[in-house]
Amino acid sequence: MFIDRVIFLLVKHKNILVVVITFLVMVFTFFLALILGSTDIPLRTVIQALITDEGEMARYAVIIRNIRLPRIALSFLVGSGLAIAGVVFQGVIRNPMVDPYIVGISAGAGTAVTFAIVYNLSFTFLYFNTIPLFAFVGALLTVILVYNLARVNNKIPVMTFLLAGVATAFMLDAIRSFVMVLGTQDLQRVVFWLMGSLSGSSWSDIRMILPYYFLGLIPIIFFANDLNLILMGEESAHHLGLNVEKVKKMLIAGATLVTAAVVAVSGSIGFIGLVVPHIARLLIGPDHRKLLPLAAVLGGVFLVLSDMLARSLMPPLEIPVGIITALVGGPYFIYLLRKRKSESW
Amino acid sequence: MLNIDKLKFGYNKENTIIDEINLAIKEQEFTAIIGPNGSGKSTLLKNISNLFTPDSGVVYLEGSDLLKIPNKELAQKMSVVPQETNIGFNFSVYDIVMMGRHPYQGRWGQIKDDDRKIVEEALTLTDTRNFRDRDFNSLSGGEKQRVIIARALAQDPEIILLDEPTSSLDINYQREIFDLLAYLNQERNLTILVVSHDLNLSGQYCSRLVLLHRGKIFASGEPEEVLTEDNIGQVYNTQVKVRKNYLTGRPYVVLMPGRAECVPEKLKTNLKIHLISGGGTGQQLIKEFYERNYQLSCGILNQGDSDWELARRLGYEVVDIKAFSYIEEQDLDQNKDKIAAADIVVVSDLPFGHGNVNNLKQLLDFTDKKILLLEERKIEERDYTRGEAERVWQKLIKKPEVEVFASKNNLLVAVENIAEENKVAEEDICD
């Protein structure tokens, strides 16, 4: 009787359950990530160090506040940003096989950032650092290029979109390699950027990307409900009173901006934008008003966990976090490919 | 309601798809745009629904230029059901129908009581309430289409446009969809414009048809005026027969198996037969002739006679008179032409009374016409004219071109032999 009732309530309020559990996991991950590291710090000390930096806590406070906390915050931002961008791209293209990396954004951003580093174009103006700006311009140009290459009779067939993205990414990578050969003195910096790592993150990194990040979020939040209509098909969305082209452009620009901001500090971290939206969709359904926040939190948690593994699996060596996410995400992508034949998303 | 003024559209400069079309759709009309593939009917619909912008000309919705109506406002007045709907992600039926309320909702789709009420009504009307919580992708084609129509209704429109709503559906679903549309049209006073390639469905249900041909309106009006053998023949470049559905009074188009490839070798014939029968004695002969693809005319029959019904149902020409009336001299003239046009005359073993004995008498006038008489029942047994019919019969069988057969089979064999002689050279038909 009682069990039945509980199960009934759980099924009826499944979404609430999902939100509560996700929140608990998030808090748990947050503290776990503060505790674990090259030296493990007990939970009690972690909490004390968060509250005060006096006396014997000073040493821990530096580690917690200036090393682990910014890194966790940045991981969360990067993970959630990639997941949000993934959701948006999958929605606009109406295919769950798309992610911000596959469509060539990272290649575009990477090439532009390489240019900026090699030709010393990196400086800070007001709060805006030029590195994310270059990443964004590179990413946006790439997306516009890929989008137009894939356009057939005003439609974007998924296959051509993916192929155009892959082809463009290859060409951009070639250009980037060429620039790197020319600017050998900066090679280390560029390679370090490209590796896809969150090591050495600081509050200044967060300050650097935050303006771009939130600027990109604005259209995404604004057009979240309209994205649901686009899933009905562009013609149907048009007939439901939507200015489809405008909404699509705004959403793509927003997602590109968020991705570019994220890529600028973290380099290439693959598969989060692909896998997390899919898991989130399984949990809460395709309605973007619920899907986007959930995917953001899950993406953040996923990257915080991955980064935690990256820095604590083989201390003092740090594994680039991109390796961890790819090792988890790759098999899942293959699983999707095998499964998709008959089923829908 | 909807006024289309000199609409012109082409995907590129050289290629005009819609060529200066003028069309007015009145309120509460149920109109179908029909026409062959490539005649521009879907393109016309996309121009009307503001998906395409015309090269020139204007579409007016309730007097205002369609292009100047804001998207959301237009979606409140006009909803569109596309040909086929594939939704990549798993939305529930209810969510999809609720999206029809988008033109009335705020930025993030806050649902008001009004929205719920209208959505419930749309679900009820389309009979989709039962699977409101199911995933759209788990539904059958017909169910999906009903859900999309429910979404169109949730827009609370004044006019609904549908693009081939039944093209991928089985006939039971086709009927279901058109029944629903007819109901909405009559009971809900909705104006409906449907693009269809199915002449008969649109002919049965719609109050008005618009036949497109090469981007122009070829014919427009009630189904009877548009669905004519001439119109269809010219536009589709194929031979059809147009019959009447006696249950609905609407015309329907019957495809004629055209060229030789669909007719077996031995049946390639242009043999013309005139059949005199009545009281059901011609039933089997008519069916046999029909199967053998002979051309047939019948007469003179009383209206309502079972032979009369069958012959008409199969699309044959019938010379007829009112039920229970007698054949008078003047009725015979029409029949005479039919007999003259026929290669042979077949007379079933029908009973003769004063009403129809003239059928037999008339045959005496033809001197060199091949006449085949069936006599499974003796003439004496079916003569109700006190010997008059028998006298005519005896005179007839003395003529050299008249043959009497004791069974239908023998008669059919004889007809087949004649048909063989008349057979058209194969290349005449087959090329």
Side-chain angles (χ1 to χ4, degrees):
Chain A
M1 262 301 277
F2 178 72
I3 299 287
D4 284 358
R5 179 104 189 111
V6 170
I7 290 173
F8 171 76
L9 282 175
L10 287 184
V11 170
K12 195 179 168 201
H13 302 288
K14 192 186 130 205
N15 289 354
I16 295 174
L17 187 74
V18 167
V19 169
V20 170
I21 290 180
T22 308
F23 181 76
L24 291 177
V25 169
M26 182 174 76
V27 173
F28 175 77
T29 310
F30 177 74
F31 280 104
L32 194 64
L34 283 176
I35 292 167
L36 296 181
S38 47
T39 47
D40 293 351
I41 302 171
L43 180 60
R44 178 190 293 271
T45 319
V46 165
I47 294 171
Q48 279 174 344
L50 281 175
I51 297 164
T52 171
D53 57 357
E54 278 162 24
E56 59 174 321
M57 279 300 135
R59 188 165 60 91
Y60 291 112
V62 171
I63 297 176
I64 296 291
R65 292 188 191 181
N66 291 344
I67 297 175
R68 292 199 184 166
L69 206 53
R71 185 158 180 171
I72 290 167
L74 193 69
S75 305
F76 192 87
L77 274 182
V78 169
S80 60
L82 290 173
I84 288 171
V87 168
V88 172
F89 274 107
Q90 290 177 6
V92 170
I93 308 297
R94 277 182 293 137
N95 188 292
M97 287 303 194
V98 181
D99 96 339
Y101 286 87
I102 290 178
V103 297
I105 290 186
S106 66
T111 309
V113 168
T114 308
F115 262 107
I117 291 174
V118 169
Y119 294 105
N120 284 322
L121 299 169
S122 148
F123 54 88
T124 305
F125 177 73
L126 296 176
Y127 279 107
F128 289 80
N129 185 289
T130 51
I131 287 285
L133 189 66
F134 273 100
F136 173 67
V137 171
L140 191 66
L141 288 177
T142 311
V143 168
I144 291 170
L145 179 69
V146 170
Y147 193 86
N148 281 303
L149 283 176
R151 189 186 279 264
V152 178
N153 288 336
N154 259 335
K155 289 196 178 96
I156 313 288
V158 178
M159 200 48 85
T160 50
F161 193 79
L162 294 182
L163 290 177
V166 170
T168 309
F170 267 116
M171 289 189 292
L172 287 171
D173 280 341
I175 294 171
R176 194 194 57 216
S177 303
F178 183 66
V179 174
M180 279 164 72
V181 169
L182 293 182
T184 37
Q185 73 279 11
D186 297 306
L187 204 57
Q188 200 189 350
R189 218 175 134 204
V190 174
V191 169
F192 192 75
W193 186 86
L194 289 172
M195 281 275 277
S197 170
L198 291 159
S199 62
S201 11
S202 63
W203 290 112
S204 69
D205 286 328
I206 295 177
R207 267 202 300 277
M208 179 174 84
I209 67 162
L210 222 46
Y212 297 95
Y213 192 91
F214 283 117
L215 202 63
L217 276 186
I218 291 170
I220 294 174
I221 294 169
F222 199 69
F223 293 114
N225 188 42
D226 295 342
L227 193 49
N228 290 338
L229 296 190
I230 288 180
L231 287 187
M232 299 291 106
E234 289 183 17
E235 281 187 24
S236 290
H238 173 89
H239 295 314
L240 289 167
L242 199 65
N243 188 342
V244 179
E245 280 306 310
K246 181 186 117 194
V247 171
K248 259 167 67 182
K249 277 178 195 149
M250 297 299 280
L251 283 169
I252 288 180
T256 304
L257 190 48
V258 169
T259 315
V262 160
V263 167
V265 289
S266 69
S268 292
I269 298 176
F271 287 107
I272 290 186
L274 178 72
V275 174
V276 172
H278 198 264
I279 296 172
R281 208 175 278 118
L282 282 180
L283 287 173
I284 209 159
D287 185 340
H288 286 94
R289 288 167 295 180
K290 303 172 197 160
L291 177 60
L292 278 167
L294 183 71
V297 173
L298 286 183
V301 168
F302 183 69
L303 193 59
V304 171
L305 278 175
S306 301
D307 186 51
M308 193 175 75
L309 289 177
R311 63 193 154 87
S312 55
L313 272 184
M314 309 167 69
L317 183 70
E318 260 197 33
I319 308 166
V321 69
I323 292 176
I324 307 265
T325 58
L327 281 181
V328 177
Y332 191 74
F333 188 74
I334 291 166
Y335 163 73
L336 285 184
L337 277 174
R338 304 294 304 170
K339 195 179 129 211
R340 80 155 289 183
K341 276 164 201 147
S342 59
E343 287 175 47
S344 61
W345 310 98
Chain B
M1 177 104 222
L2 197 66
N3 261 297
I4 299 162
D5 185 29
K6 286 190 192 148
L7 184 79
K8 205 169 171 177
F9 179 85
Y11 290 102
N12 48 48
K13 283 247 163 66
E14 307 89 62
N15 191 358
T16 307
I17 309 284
I18 304 291
D19 196 2
E20 302 224 335
I21 279 187
N22 293 302
L23 183 66
I25 309 284
K26 290 194 210 70
E27 249 166 76
Q28 292 177 36
E29 255 186 339
F30 186 0
T31 311
I33 301 174
I34 54 176
N37 290 335
S39 59
K41 49 191 194 306
S42 282
T43 311
L44 177 60
L45 193 86
K46 283 178 176 146
N47 274 282
I48 298 174
S49 61
N50 197 19
L51 204 60
F52 294 165
T53 308
D55 293 342
S56 66
V58 186
V59 178
Y60 295 98
L61 180 66
E62 292 176 329
S64 41
D65 184 347
L66 198 70
L67 296 176
K68 297 197 177 116
I69 304 175
N71 279 6
K72 273 202 168 185
E73 205 177 299
L74 181 62
Q76 294 175 1
K77 287 180 179 163
M78 174 193 276
S79 55
V80 181
V81 176
Q83 209 171 105
E84 228 183 309
T85 305
N86 289 310
I87 295 173
F89 296 84
N90 276 325
F91 280 98
S92 76
V93 166
Y94 187 83
D95 287 345
I96 286 173
V97 178
M98 187 54 91
M99 285 188 200
R101 297 303 298 160
H102 176 263
Y104 300 90
Q105 289 170 335
R107 165 112 319 266
W108 285 285
Q110 302 86 333
I111 296 169
K112 294 193 266 315
D113 284 347
D114 228 24
D115 298 330
R116 279 195 197 89
K117 210 183 96 208
I118 289 170
V119 166
E120 290 299 330
E121 204 185 325
L123 288 169
T124 310
L125 275 173
T126 52
D127 201 16
T128 47
R129 195 180 268 282
N130 290 340
F131 38 86
R132 56 189 293 162
D133 292 324
R134 275 175 57 192
D135 279 341
F136 182 77
N137 288 311
S138 69
L139 304 179
S140 73
E143 288 167 339
K144 279 184 185 172
Q145 202 58 282
R146 264 156 51 201
V147 170
I148 298 304
I149 292 175
R151 189 183 69 195
L153 290 176
Q155 284 175 251
D156 196 16
E158 285 149 38
I159 179 166
I160 294 192
L161 313 181
L162 302 99
D163 190 0
E164 306 261 13
T166 59
S167 62
S168 57
L169 303 182
D170 288 337
I171 50 167
N172 50 333
Y173 291 128
Q174 294 182 358
R175 202 199 72 161
E176 210 173 82
I177 298 292
F178 268 86
D179 277 346
L180 172 62
L181 294 180
Y183 174 82
L184 295 172
N185 175 241
Q186 279 152 27
E187 307 295 323
R188 299 276 147 165
N189 300 328
L190 267 172
T191 312
I192 296 180
L193 180 64
V194 54
V195 161
S196 176
H197 69 266
D198 194 319
L199 302 177
N200 287 330
L201 265 179
S202 6
Q204 292 303 303
Y205 283 94
C206 300
S207 52
R208 180 173 171 211
L209 301 184
V210 177
L211 177 59
L212 284 194
H213 183 41
R214 294 188 184 147
K216 287 184 176 354
I217 294 178
F218 190 85
S220 164
E222 294 187 2
E224 290 79 12
E225 302 169 272
V226 176
L227 291 184
T228 62
E229 286 168 18
D230 262 5
N231 284 346
I232 307 296
Q234 283 185 55
V235 170
Y236 287 85
N237 199 15
T238 187
Q239 248 206 320
V240 296
K241 293 275 173 200
V242 175
R243 304 283 164 241
K244 201 167 206 173
N245 183 338
Y246 286 101
L247 298 173
T248 60
R250 296 295 186 90
Y252 69 93
V253 178
V254 185
L255 190 79
M256 299 311 280
R259 298 177 171 256
E261 63 267 12
C262 40
V263 184
E265 172 76 14
K266 63 170 187 172
L267 300 178
K268 280 172 211 152
T269 174
N270 60 356
L271 182 71
K272 287 184 189 153
I273 302 174
H274 183 79
L275 176 71
I276 295 171
S277 68
T281 57
Q283 298 268 311
Q284 202 187 333
L285 289 172
I286 293 172
K287 284 179 198 154
E288 298 281 354
F289 292 155
Y290 176 76
E291 277 172 20
R292 284 168 172 74
N293 221 26
Y294 299 146
Q295 298 178 40
L296 187 68
S297 57
C298 299
I300 298 174
L301 286 164
N302 287 95
Q303 288 170 4
D305 188 293
S306 55
D307 289 353
W308 176 84
E309 279 200 342
L310 178 65
R312 293 193 48 149
R313 198 141 47 94
L314 294 177
Y316 293 127
E317 284 177 281
V318 180
V319 181
D320 58 4
I321 54 171
K322 287 211 177 78
F324 305 113
S325 61
Y326 283 31
I327 299 175
E328 306 290 349
E329 288 297 327
Q330 62 266 30
D331 302 321
L332 291 170
D333 285 346
Q334 252 192 55
N335 207 31
K336 203 165 127 191
D337 297 340
K338 298 288 168 212
I339 294 173
D343 298 312
I344 59 169
V345 178
V346 174
V347 184
S348 77
D349 51 354
L350 73 163
F352 289 104
H354 293 292
N356 68 349
V357 73
N358 275 344
N359 264 337
L360 203 57
K361 274 189 186 165
Q362 188 179 27
L363 290 178
L364 292 171
D365 302 343
F366 292 88
T367 48
D368 53 355
K369 186 68 67 180
K370 182 88 184 158
I371 298 174
L372 290 78
L373 303 175
L374 179 64
E375 199 177 23
E376 281 185 339
R377 278 172 75 205
K378 291 281 169 209
I379 181 70
E380 302 89 58
E381 294 170 26
R382 49 193 169 90
D383 178 9
Y384 301 97
T385 56
R386 303 208 190 106
E388 191 187 356
E390 198 184 334
R391 272 197 303 281
V392 178
W393 184 271
Q394 296 303 342
K395 257 193 226 173
L396 264 178
I397 60 176
K398 283 198 188 97
K399 293 167 79 168
E401 65 277 7
V402 176
E403 251 186 288
V404 182
F405 296 88
S407 79
K408 283 195 192 78
N409 281 346
N410 292 349
L411 184 136
L412 285 169
V413 170
V415 173
E416 260 172 40
N417 288 336
I418 297 167
E420 194 71 18
E421 289 161 26
N422 269 35
K423 198 166 102 177
V424 190
E426 195 172 324
E427 53 274 20
D428 282 359
I429 302 177
C430 275
D431 63 332

